[in-house]
Amino acid sequence: AGAGGPRLARVWHGSENRIEELRRALEKDAPHPSDPSGSGPADYPWPGEALGDEPGGPGSALAYRLVAGGRPLGTLVIGRSGAAGFPDEITGLVEDLSRRVALAIGAARQYARQATISAVLQRGLLPGAVAEIPGMRSALVYEPCDKGGPSGDFYDLFPAGDGRWCFAVGDVQGKGPEAAVVIGLARPWLRLLAREGYRVADVLDRLNQLLLDDATEAADAAARALVAAGARPTPPGDGPQTRFLS
């Protein structure tokens, strides 16, 4: 259910030639269980006319609210013809099925949120464009071995003024959101310091001091924000206090 109300996700019928009629009937009369937070069954009007039944013909349908983590995710409707109701063992079985379906949907949505967060972070780690150096051709390929989230590796190729160009390859110990924050701080500072005319040793010395001053605090704040948004917490021993940048 979105801002426009419930949306039909999937329809199934024992007879394939009845699926479209059933789909139209369900779209016309979406289920609205009385208890928005409960998962127990609620009566649903049997769509006999759409299924070619005689007016007032037998049939029963129940609607189960899909709830995970206290949040309603949707509704499961199940019905059968030729019966005035469902035996208790059937309603118990379907109620258990609806709980499992809700947990699966909730887990899938949480994984999707985590994957979106990781993709946004990963895009932020890579430069939007690399410098074109006169007289040279350059090509960069970035293939992190862990496709599930941002890694701790980064690269850059940029002009540093006075006909100078800088190439950098970096690695933060560990991976995940905190590593992404450290890279997000280090890369622009690296460019700025190099463009100020500092040599490599001086750039690294100043970058190190900046990271010591700010990176841990920023990484801690970002980790808390990401966990609040649904990301997984950082495993023990993989936090910002154990990170090194090379």
Side-chain angles (χ1 to χ4, degrees), residues 64 76 160 184 198-199 224:
Y64 292 81
L76 172 68
Y198 294 109
R199 309 304 296 178
R224 289 192 296 270

Side-chain angles (χ1 to χ4, degrees), residues 26-190:
L26 291 172
E27 287 176 338
K28 182 179 178 181
D29 187 12
H32 296 280
S34 56
D35 183 2
S37 62
S39 59
D43 289 331
Y44 179 81
W46 176 250
E49 183 178 349
L51 298 176
D53 294 347
E54 294 293 332
S60 297
L62 296 172
Y64 292 81
R65 196 70 160 179
L66 303 178
V67 180
R71 298 181 57 190
L73 303 176
T75 305
L76 172 68
V77 177
I78 187 168
R80 65 174 183 172
S81 61
F86 289 90
D88 290 342
E89 60 269 20
I90 296 296
T91 58
L93 180 65
V94 178
E95 191 166 352
D96 180 65
L97 171 65
S98 69
R99 283 195 293 267
R100 293 172 184 268
V101 169
L103 290 173
I105 294 174
R109 290 186 176 183
Q110 183 176 3
Y111 178 82
R113 285 194 297 269
Q114 177 70 31
T116 300
I117 291 171
S118 295
V120 170
L121 286 173
Q122 190 71 71
R123 286 196 298 269
L125 301 183
L126 306 179
V130 295
E132 295 185 5
I133 303 175
M136 288 186 60
R137 288 193 305 172
S138 59
L140 297 166
V141 178
Y142 187 73
E143 295 183 352
C145 63
D146 183 4
K147 305 297 183 182
S151 69
D153 307 314
F154 69 101
Y155 63 83
D156 208 352
L157 178 61
F158 58 93
D162 298 327
R164 297 170 56 240
W165 283 265
C166 290
F167 172 62
V169 175
D171 176 53
V172 176
Q173 178 187 350
K175 58 183 179 180
E178 294 88 350
V181 170
V182 175
I183 294 173
L185 292 170
R187 190 155 51 84
W189 285 343
L190 188 67

